[in-house]
Amino acid sequence: MVFRIGIISDTHGLLRPEATRALAGVDHIVHGGDIGGPDIIPPLRRIAPVTAIRGNVDTGGWAGEYAETELVRLAGRSIFVLHDLNALQIDPVARGIDIIVSGHSHMPKIDTRNGVLYLNPGSAGRRRFRLPITLATLNITPEDLRPVIRDLGNG
């Protein structure tokens, strides 16, 4: 049995059609912040249940429903979501966390440290500098975690 999570971040108010196509069929979506406006999460919720957090650009009344961090359990794995990895103030190993999802840097990255998967899907919104437009998928099986960075094209 495979549980598929779509991981997106830094949309900055732009939900690309390529992103919604890449997320089609996932079981859950995690948004790592810098949502950018109230119109981003509802279409994601039409694809799958969403766990989303507030990033540094998410201000105003609409952003109040999102916390700065979330701890969610999916497919038997504990996932901690925060926007800026540099703001991590907990010890994930001591807390039994399997996966840390972050955004903010706009640079996609997959890393494993002390048995914890650190996953930054990069930015799926407007292009910044020469960084790629990306999101990630994470397949969870009883045996392992299989993260993949997905390039959404030149946008």
Side-chain angles (χ1 to χ4, degrees):
M1 176 86 178
V2 176
F3 189 89
R4 281 190 82 219
I5 302 173
I7 302 170
I8 189 168
S9 189
D10 296 275
T11 45
H12 290 268
L14 174 63
L15 184 58
R16 296 168 177 272
E18 302 91 336
T20 56
R21 282 194 297 274
L23 293 170
V26 300
D27 298 299
H28 197 94
I29 296 171
V30 173
H31 195 302
D34 278 3
I35 300 163
D39 299 332
I40 300 300
I41 301 301
L44 292 177
R45 285 189 177 127
R46 288 193 284 278
I47 298 169
V50 175
T51 298
I53 54 128
R54 182 170 72 234
N56 56 289
V57 306
D58 299 323
T59 59
W62 69 270
E65 73 178 273
Y66 303 102
E68 289 184 10
T69 65
E70 287 284 353
L71 180 61
V72 63
R73 192 155 183 86
L74 299 169
R77 303 296 181 124
S78 182
I79 303 169
F80 187 78
V81 188
L82 78 163
H83 185 57
D84 184 352
L85 186 58
N86 293 321
L88 183 65
Q89 296 181 355
I90 62 165
D91 178 350
V93 175
R95 297 272 302 267
I97 293 169
D98 300 296
I99 304 154
I100 301 283
V101 170
S102 63
H104 188 61
S105 72
H106 292 225
M107 291 184 286
K109 187 171 185 182
I110 297 170
D111 192 19
T112 302
R113 295 191 305 253
N114 298 320
V116 177
L117 173 65
Y118 289 79
L119 179 52
N120 184 327
S123 171
R126 291 172 177 80
R127 181 177 298 282
R128 303 249 340 246
F129 316 110
R130 293 183 174 270
L131 297 171
I133 307 295
T134 56
L135 54 74
T137 55
L138 174 62
N139 288 351
I140 300 177
T141 68
E143 297 78 38
D144 66 357
L145 305 173
R146 283 179 258 143
V148 176
I149 300 294
R150 301 195 179 276
D151 193 319
L152 299 180
N154 295 324

